[in-house]
Amino acid sequence: MTPSSALDSRGSGFDESTPLARELADLTARRARLKGNALPRPRATRVFTVANQKGGVGKTTTTVNLAAALAKSGMRVLAIDLDPQGNASTALGVEHRHDTISVYDVIVGDAPLSDVVQKSPEFDTLWCAPATIHLAGAEIELVSLVAREQRLRTALNAYLQSAEERFDYVFIDCPPSIGLLTINAFVAATEVLIPIQCEYYALEGLSQLLRNVDLIEKHLNPALRVSTILLTMFDSRTRLANDVADDVRKHFPEQVLGSVIPRAVRISEAPSHGQSVITYDPNSPGALSYLEAAGEIARRGDAA
């Protein structure tokens, strides 16, 4: 290719047929679409439990970045970290040392959620209820407590009702297991969001998770439903990722979002800086993908 042929007619420096030029054009178009789209506020608070008993599928990453994406659009959002590892708390930049009052004190010790919730430095409309390592023992301590499956729901409902201004969204980040913490999250929510990794074994354990959701719906929370499935760690260059995505869409055509989350370095780097990718690199493909997914969730809820 000659130097002159590498320039298009506008002198941009790229031949429009090159992969790099197509990628840049696509990112520019996506940014423009997002910039011009105001999201509808839900008519009532939507409470999501982000769950998948399989580890490493992007539960915490999805919780943090969807919460940040919606907060960026002006929504009032609460993220509840129910994983003893506290990774969502780290990514949202809130304090969660072992002596911090946390979700553990709410579930086991009857502390009001208002004593626990901290404002995230990410956005003025984003709050987080942090987790500490004490949650690791909560499963055992909950066994002997009265109404053990409903303790988070009771605390969350009281907090939402007493809030000076209505929250639009609540996201609950679950540990990678189906124990009493995750059951508390299911009982407290009305919607389940399942991140599914676009890799081998993606659907492993999903049928068991869906059976558990059905049991919770029948016996503890009739309002619960699996409303959203998000494909994560997607690499369009691999046949496997495309096959997994097609398979999931075939089995769950109504629940799967059109937006997919790519496997991206920026998404992985952001938590080490105490940030979501939405603020760490807002123009990156990962940030745009989470903003698009948040927009789909908001519009689906408005249409429901």
Side-chain angles (χ1 to χ4, degrees):
M1 182 184 294
T2 65
S4 59
S5 65
L7 294 171
D8 66 13
S9 59
R10 295 181 299 275
S12 66
F14 292 103
D15 184 333
E16 290 181 350
S17 66
T18 66
L20 179 58
R22 288 196 297 270
E23 182 179 353
L24 290 174
D26 177 62
L27 290 174
T28 300
R30 290 168 68 189
R31 282 195 290 268
R33 284 194 298 269
L34 287 166
K35 190 173 182 180
N37 286 338
L39 300 185
R41 295 189 69 179
R43 290 181 283 271
T45 304
R46 298 178 67 186
V47 183
F48 286 85
T49 283
V50 184
N52 191 330
Q53 67 219 51
K54 187 176 185 301
V57 299
K59 286 187 300 297
T60 297
T61 301
T62 293
T63 300
V64 166
N65 288 300
L66 286 178
L70 288 163
K72 183 178 182 179
S73 72
M75 305 290 174
R76 287 172 54 84
V77 184
L78 170 64
I80 298 177
D81 191 350
L82 212 58
D83 189 337
Q85 296 177 85
N87 291 335
S89 306
T90 298
L92 290 175
V94 300
E95 185 61 64
H96 64 107
R97 293 178 300 181
H98 70 92
D99 56 346
T100 303
I101 185 169
S102 69
V103 173
Y104 168 84
D105 299 283
V106 172
I107 293 179
V108 176
D110 293 320
L113 200 55
S114 56
D115 288 353
V116 172
V117 171
Q118 303 177 37
K119 180 174 281 191
S120 169
E122 291 272 295
F123 296 100
D124 286 339
T125 57
L126 179 58
W127 286 262
C128 176
T132 61
I133 192 61
H134 298 300
L135 267 181
E139 299 272 2
I140 297 173
E141 294 180 72
L142 280 168
V143 170
S144 61
L145 297 182
V146 175
R148 61 191 182 187
E149 301 94 350
Q150 301 178 30
R151 297 179 71 82
L152 180 60
R153 177 169 67 182
T154 300
L156 177 60
N157 287 346
Y159 178 71
L160 293 177
Q161 289 169 11
S162 65
E164 293 182 1
E165 189 177 344
R166 176 172 66 85
F167 278 88
D168 297 301
Y169 292 90
V170 178
F171 290 93
I172 306 172
D173 184 33
C174 294
S177 62
I178 304 295
L180 280 171
L181 288 176
T182 300
I183 291 173
N184 262 268
F186 283 146
V187 173
T190 52
E191 301 183 55
V192 180
L193 190 160
I194 304 175
I196 295 183
Q197 183 183 17
C198 292
E199 293 188 358
Y200 194 56
Y201 293 137
L203 299 178
E204 188 180 66
L206 184 59
S207 59
Q208 181 61 50
L209 175 62
L210 295 175
R211 281 195 294 270
N212 287 327
V213 172
D214 285 341
L215 287 172
I216 298 294
E217 180 187 356
K218 289 176 182 176
H219 299 290
L220 294 168
N221 184 6
L224 188 66
R225 64 189 177 93
V226 177
S227 66
T228 310
I229 293 176
L230 179 62
L231 299 171
T232 64
M233 303 180 188
F234 180 74
D235 186 346
S236 61
R237 299 169 299 179
T238 68
R239 182 174 180 177
L240 175 61
N242 285 285
D243 287 347
V244 169
D246 291 343
D247 201 22
V248 174
R249 292 187 193 283
K250 181 175 70 176
H251 283 87
F252 306 99
E254 300 298 322
Q255 292 90 350
V256 181
L257 295 181
S259 304
V260 296
I261 308 303
R263 182 178 290 281
V265 173
R266 290 303 204 190
I267 294 176
S268 302
E269 287 178 348
S272 66
H273 296 268
Q275 292 178 264
S276 68
V277 74
I278 306 299
T279 56
Y280 178 65
D281 192 350
N283 291 317
S284 65
L288 296 178
S289 296
Y290 271 113
L291 287 165
E292 289 164 346
E296 269 195 82
I297 289 171
R299 285 185 286 272
R300 281 187 175 193
D302 189 56

